[in-house]
Amino acid sequence: MDSKTRDILEILENNARATPEEISALVDMPSKEVEDSIRHLEKVGIIRRYKTVIDWELAGEDYVYAIIELKVSLERRQGYDAIAERLYKFPEVRSVRLLSGEHDIVLTIRGKTMKQVAFFVAEKIATLEQVQSTSTHFVLKTYKEDGLILEEPEHAKRLPVSP
Amino acid sequence: MERMEDCRFVAEKVKNVPPSGIRRFFDLVSDNEEIISLGVGEPDYVSPWHIREACIHSLEHGETSYTSNSGLIELREEISRNYTRRQDLYYNPESEILVTSGVSEALDLAIRSIVDIGDEVIVTEPTYVAYIPSIVLAGGKAVPVPTTREDDFRVKAEEIEKRITARTKAIIINYPNNPTGAIMPRDELETIAKVAEKHDLVVITDEVYERLTYTGKHCSIAALDGMRERTIVLNGFSKAYSMTGFRLGYILAPEPLLNAMMRIHQYTMLCAPVTAQVGGIEALRNGESEVQAMVNEYNRRRRLIVKGFNNIGLDCFNPGGAFYAFPSIAATGLTSEQFAQRLLEEQKVVTIPGDVFGKAGTGFLRCAYAASREDIKEALERIEAFLNRL
Ligand SMILES: Cc1ncc(COP(=O)(O)O)c(C=O)c1O
């Protein structure tokens, strides 16, 4: 990948709303070309989607998040991918990861209440044939997510004029 | 209050140092929420966390003593390795590297170690504000040589040669340049090197912005044939690693010159701050990816601001390094001073008038783009509004 394309991706990763005109000035490329390049990146799936990070707590909508560790047993002709698929099709499941180590799969789940999440795990996840055990951890506070620090960012305290 | 100039206790050589134009401008700026400053000559990033963390760790483990005069050997070894990787030039960490309290101290040592009373030192203008005062304080005479927009602010060998006298001892060059952002490619450095050799001059090269080079690759004049023995390289951590407040720099020079600087340093500074030195080791060992990320972002801002100035009708030289844009405001009919002052009063944007950096800066403004993209965009809009009302 050439450095300009990389640059475009980096800019969009930090601000999905950057317009082709803005990006054009930053990477020194005509905005028409930036537009074409973005369209191509979208088409081949390098740009998967544009996402907005929302502080739901601030918006007054409380969500409960939980991390669920699973041990699974593999069945004949069915690998981890098949189990993962059964899991990720639930909309409550926000992420599914295959792990090395003690547990096989880890999920994040979002729900409205702890009770709702607990029931979901008990009824939908733990009951799956391949799932041997589950271990549920409710999230108390998130400090950093997807590379974004959720506290006030720090700024260099500089004098307004210096040599 | 009695002026310093009238005070009978103050030494003449201090009175002879011209007051800082930047300082004067600083006094005009109040701490005001609405102000956007393009007047800051330092990175807007906090030092990378891994560097701060290494310093905290070292403090927790009681590393609070003096180090050897020349600096921690591990740091000098990292500097040597790092420099060889970038410039293909070897300096012996035992005898040719001195760790200093910033390039500021390094500059003072370099000048004091070679200048006798009345010796002349050639400086390129527009110039970084510390060069001439440092020369004056050492009892020397600063001889400015102008650089121009037409020459991309690169100093011409013949302009240097015209100013050489029997007393000329050294030339100071600074690429990438503060305040113009100019860089100097290898072939043009060759012509300067020839003059230095022909007249047996020392070259002091301030390369503190070396890592912030956006077009091509930085070349040190020390790397040119025959130049190593007469070159003093100054470099540091302030700009590349966003470590201005740590006060950490270094000098690379052949042994006799290094020993001369060491003679002064051991009595006047003793050693650079130990915590900063620990941070420097961490920066050189593990800082590369953060440097790259910062350089990439400066580069985007550089394009944004240069294009922005040209779009609103201020002719702006395309700087190849550092983090300064140096647009011409001559077409407005205002002096740099008037422009900067009125821009501050009317639109609350801080810029530095070009003539603060010497006569050759007349008609220009220094605008540091070590500021967020939002601030740069907002500043450009305000400058445009200011121009429209002239
Ligand atoms: C050209 C130049 N040299 C030296 C310095 C001082 O650097 P340090 O922080 O290492 O003393 C600066 C800082 O603005 C500079 O612009």
Side-chain angles (χ1 to χ4, degrees):
Chain A
M1 177 181 304
D2 64 279
S3 74
K4 292 218 166 164
T5 310
R6 225 200 114 74
D7 226 17
I8 293 174
L9 288 173
E10 256 181 56
I11 292 164
L12 284 173
E13 188 175 29
N14 285 309
N15 176 14
R17 297 185 63 186
T19 65
E21 290 72 43
E22 284 167 342
I23 297 172
S24 146
L26 298 173
V27 303
D28 193 22
M29 192 172 173
S31 61
K32 180 77 183 57
E33 276 177 44
V34 174
E35 228 175 306
D36 292 346
S37 173
I38 293 174
R39 200 168 306 125
H40 174 72
L41 291 164
E42 288 168 352
K43 208 168 107 198
V44 298
I46 290 178
I47 294 178
R48 300 297 280 266
R49 69 189 175 106
Y50 299 93
K51 185 175 156 183
T52 307
V53 181
I54 294 170
D55 188 337
W56 283 114
E57 206 174 316
L58 196 64
E61 294 271 331
D62 282 347
Y63 282 110
V64 176
Y65 289 86
I67 290 166
I68 323 287
E69 293 165 330
L70 305 181
K71 281 189 191 160
V72 301
S73 57
L74 293 182
E75 297 188 349
R76 253 192 311 154
R77 295 198 319 277
Q78 286 217 329
Y80 286 114
D81 293 355
I83 302 168
E85 187 181 346
R86 301 197 71 150
L87 293 164
Y88 65 58
K89 287 195 166 158
F90 290 111
E92 293 87 342
V93 174
R94 308 288 296 178
S95 75
V96 180
R97 292 185 174 89
L98 181 64
L99 302 182
S100 65
E102 201 180 333
H103 296 276
D104 301 309
I105 285 179
V106 66
L107 312 176
T108 18
I109 297 197
R110 185 169 88 172
K112 290 303 282 180
T113 62
M114 277 166 97
K115 205 166 157 185
Q116 190 197 33
V117 171
F119 272 117
F120 173 76
V121 174
E123 288 174 4
K124 306 288 186 199
I125 307 291
T127 52
L128 290 173
E129 260 174 64
Q130 302 95 323
V131 172
Q132 289 183 326
S133 72
T134 67
S135 162
T136 303
H137 311 271
F138 282 101
V139 174
L140 303 181
K141 184 168 178 183
T142 303
Y143 295 95
K144 187 174 183 180
E145 178 100 337
D146 279 345
L148 186 72
I149 296 170
L150 303 175
E151 312 266 293
E152 252 314 281
E154 57 182 5
H155 290 294
K157 296 174 190 68
R158 301 182 299 167
L159 301 169
V161 172
S162 67
Chain B
M1 191 190 64
E2 188 184 22
R3 286 168 64 244
M4 178 269 270
E5 284 76 6
D6 301 328
C7 175
R8 67 189 185 286
F9 299 127
V10 174
E12 284 306 314
K13 64 169 176 286
V14 177
K15 292 180 184 172
N16 288 340
V17 176
S20 158
I22 287 203
R23 183 76 229 169
R24 200 190 75 75
F25 218 71
F26 182 80
D27 295 334
L28 291 176
V29 181
S30 54
D31 236 347
N32 182 326
E33 283 282 299
E34 287 165 56
I35 282 184
I36 295 182
S37 184
L38 305 181
V40 196
E42 66 176 314
D44 59 322
Y45 294 100
V46 182
S47 319
W49 174 246
H50 69 103
I51 297 173
R52 288 185 277 158
E53 205 275 331
C55 294
I56 294 166
H57 183 266
S58 103
L59 284 170
E60 280 173 343
H61 287 75
E63 278 188 86
T64 57
S65 310
Y66 294 133
T67 70
S68 91
N69 294 133
S70 35
L72 294 169
I73 184 66
E74 296 95 318
L75 176 56
R76 282 177 283 140
E77 281 167 357
E78 289 299 337
I79 290 168
S80 173
R81 261 198 289 279
N82 204 275
Y83 204 75
T84 304
R85 215 178 301 136
R86 298 199 310 277
Q87 291 295 324
D88 198 18
L89 197 62
Y90 175 74
Y91 284 92
N92 186 339
E94 300 281 354
S95 55
E96 297 179 314
I97 299 179
L98 175 61
V99 177
T100 60
S101 290
V103 172
S104 302
E105 191 217 349
L107 170 73
D108 183 48
L109 294 177
I111 292 171
R112 278 201 284 164
S113 67
I114 58 170
V115 169
D116 278 319
I117 308 264
D119 280 348
E120 295 175 7
V121 179
I122 291 176
V123 295
T124 65
E125 272 189 1
T127 170
Y128 175 55
V129 293
Y131 299 155
I132 294 175
S134 301
I135 296 165
V136 172
L137 278 170
K141 182 173 165 225
V143 179
V145 38
T147 63
T148 63
R149 162 80 168 95
E150 290 67 45
D151 293 331
D152 292 340
F153 296 108
R154 290 171 186 165
V155 65
K156 292 275 149 210
E158 55 283 13
E159 292 297 320
I160 291 178
E161 201 151 23
K162 266 195 234 164
R163 289 167 176 80
I164 291 175
T165 71
R167 295 303 307 262
T168 307
K169 200 71 187 272
I171 314 170
I172 304 181
I173 58 173
N174 166 223
Y175 297 99
N177 184 263
N178 177 4
T180 63
I183 55 172
M184 192 87 161
R186 189 184 183 100
D187 55 331
E188 294 194 45
L189 280 175
E190 301 268 10
T191 64
I192 311 301
K194 283 216 180 69
V195 174
E197 275 198 288
K198 182 170 153 202
H199 298 275
D200 202 21
L201 305 177
V202 175
V203 176
I204 299 173
T205 173
D206 177 349
E207 302 182 6
V208 73
Y209 293 101
E210 175 210 340
R211 301 303 311 275
L212 311 186
T213 301
Y214 313 106
T215 54
K217 187 175 169 294
H218 174 80
C219 172
S220 174
I221 195 164
L224 304 184
D225 273 354
M227 286 306 289
R228 194 182 184 285
E229 57 161 313
R230 61 178 69 253
T231 303
I232 301 175
V233 179
L234 314 181
N235 208 329
F237 294 79
S238 286
K239 316 293 171 168
Y241 296 96
S242 242
M243 289 174 68
T244 44
F246 281 80
R247 312 309 306 127
L248 191 66
Y250 56 88
I251 303 174
L252 310 174
E255 198 166 344
L257 282 172
L258 199 92
N259 286 342
M261 293 184 273
M262 177 67 155
R263 187 75 55 88
I264 305 174
H265 171 82
Q266 67 188 342
Y267 297 123
T268 55
M269 188 61 66
L270 215 164
C271 69
V274 61
T275 310
Q277 293 192 49
V278 171
I281 296 170
E282 174 62 25
L284 291 175
R285 286 190 183 151
N286 299 310
E288 196 49 36
S289 65
E290 300 235 20
V291 172
Q292 282 306 332
M294 290 191 277
V295 170
N296 288 345
E297 178 58 22
Y298 288 135
N299 196 6
R300 290 175 199 136
R301 297 169 181 182
R302 175 181 76 104
R303 292 174 178 137
L304 182 69
I305 199 167
V306 171
K307 190 165 177 202
F309 278 128
N310 286 316
N311 282 349
I312 62 177
L314 294 181
D315 166 61
C316 186
F317 159 71
N318 192 21
F323 40 53
Y324 306 104
F326 206 59
S328 165
I329 50 92
T332 62
L334 299 178
T335 66
S336 303
E337 190 94 354
Q338 288 166 337
F339 190 106
Q341 189 153 344
R342 283 185 54 186
L343 180 63
L344 173 58
E345 284 161 6
E346 294 171 29
Q347 293 288 344
K348 310 249 178 299
V349 177
V350 182
T351 57
I352 309 288
D355 39 17
V356 159
F357 308 98
K359 257 214 312 276
T362 306
F364 295 90
L365 277 190
R366 190 193 76 175
C367 303
Y369 54 83
S372 71
R373 277 187 240 153
E374 289 69 34
D375 277 2
I376 292 171
K377 274 190 254 178
E378 171 72 21
L380 285 166
E381 277 168 27
R382 293 191 196 180
I383 294 171
E384 185 175 24
F386 174 76
L387 290 172
N388 287 341
R389 272 202 248 141
L390 279 182

